[in-house]
Amino acid sequence: MKVRDVMHKGVDWVSPDTPITEIAKLMQGHDIGCIPIGENDHLIGMVTDRDIVCKGLASKDFNAARMTARDVMTEGIHCCREDDDLAKAVHHMETLKIRRLPVINRNKRMVGMISMGDVGQSATADLLTQCVKGVSAHHH
């Protein structure tokens, strides 16, 4: 099974200047928990719902009207390719202890997003068990 078989297609990225209120509305509208951040045609980071809460809402100088993706995003980005084997992508998420990965094509264009939820709906039980253990390990 390949990444393209389970990924969410058509997930977009937004610029680092996007207000976090807009990002939260995108997350709600698409029922997703993270939005990739891109600048000059390159992915540069990721904003998760947790970033908005922990680095945004919880910060001393929180101002919803002025806070942007750049203020709360996690810099650096890990991706997988749409033609990667699903097990390879899962292993990548497990190693990095992350729950979501942007998916790129051969031209390094973002074509979707893969999450543990996507994997859970279509992966084998063995792959899923291994994966959940790896991602959850750091929460104990």
Side-chain angles (χ1 to χ4, degrees):
M1 189 174 277
K2 300 291 183 189
V3 167
R4 78 166 61 84
D5 300 327
V6 300
M7 71 182 189
H8 274 75
K9 292 182 179 66
V11 176
D12 233 340
W13 50 269
V14 299
S15 96
D17 305 321
T18 306
I20 62 168
T21 49
E22 201 176 305
I23 291 174
K25 286 177 188 155
L26 280 170
M27 287 178 177
Q28 182 185 33
H30 294 284
D31 191 27
I32 52 178
C34 73
I35 304 269
I37 309 302
E39 191 172 45
N40 301 325
D41 214 26
H42 284 14
L43 292 177
I44 60 167
M46 188 83 89
V47 171
T48 65
D49 41 16
R50 191 168 191 279
D51 289 332
I52 292 175
V53 172
C54 297
K55 298 176 190 171
L57 283 171
S59 70
K60 283 192 288 272
D61 50 355
F62 174 69
N63 180 332
R66 286 211 311 268
M67 200 163 267
T68 66
R70 194 182 302 279
D71 298 320
V72 298
M73 75 180 195
T74 301
E75 289 192 43
I77 197 144
H78 296 278
C79 300
C80 62
R81 291 180 178 268
E82 62 180 347
D83 52 2
D84 279 350
D85 194 64
L86 186 60
K88 179 182 173 188
V90 165
H91 182 68
H92 197 49
M93 286 191 263
E94 188 184 10
T95 306
L96 296 168
K97 297 196 182 335
I98 57 176
R99 291 174 166 77
R100 303 171 188 93
L101 270 180
V103 182
I104 57 172
N105 64 15
R106 290 177 188 277
N107 301 322
K108 298 194 173 155
R109 293 266 177 257
M110 188 174 151
V111 292
M113 182 81 73
I114 187 169
S115 71
M116 283 299 154
D118 300 330
V119 173
Q121 290 173 358
S122 45
T124 64
D126 285 353
L127 182 61
L128 194 59
T129 303
Q130 165 198 343
C131 190
V132 170
K133 280 183 185 161
V135 170
S136 304
H138 71 297
H139 289 295
H140 293 298

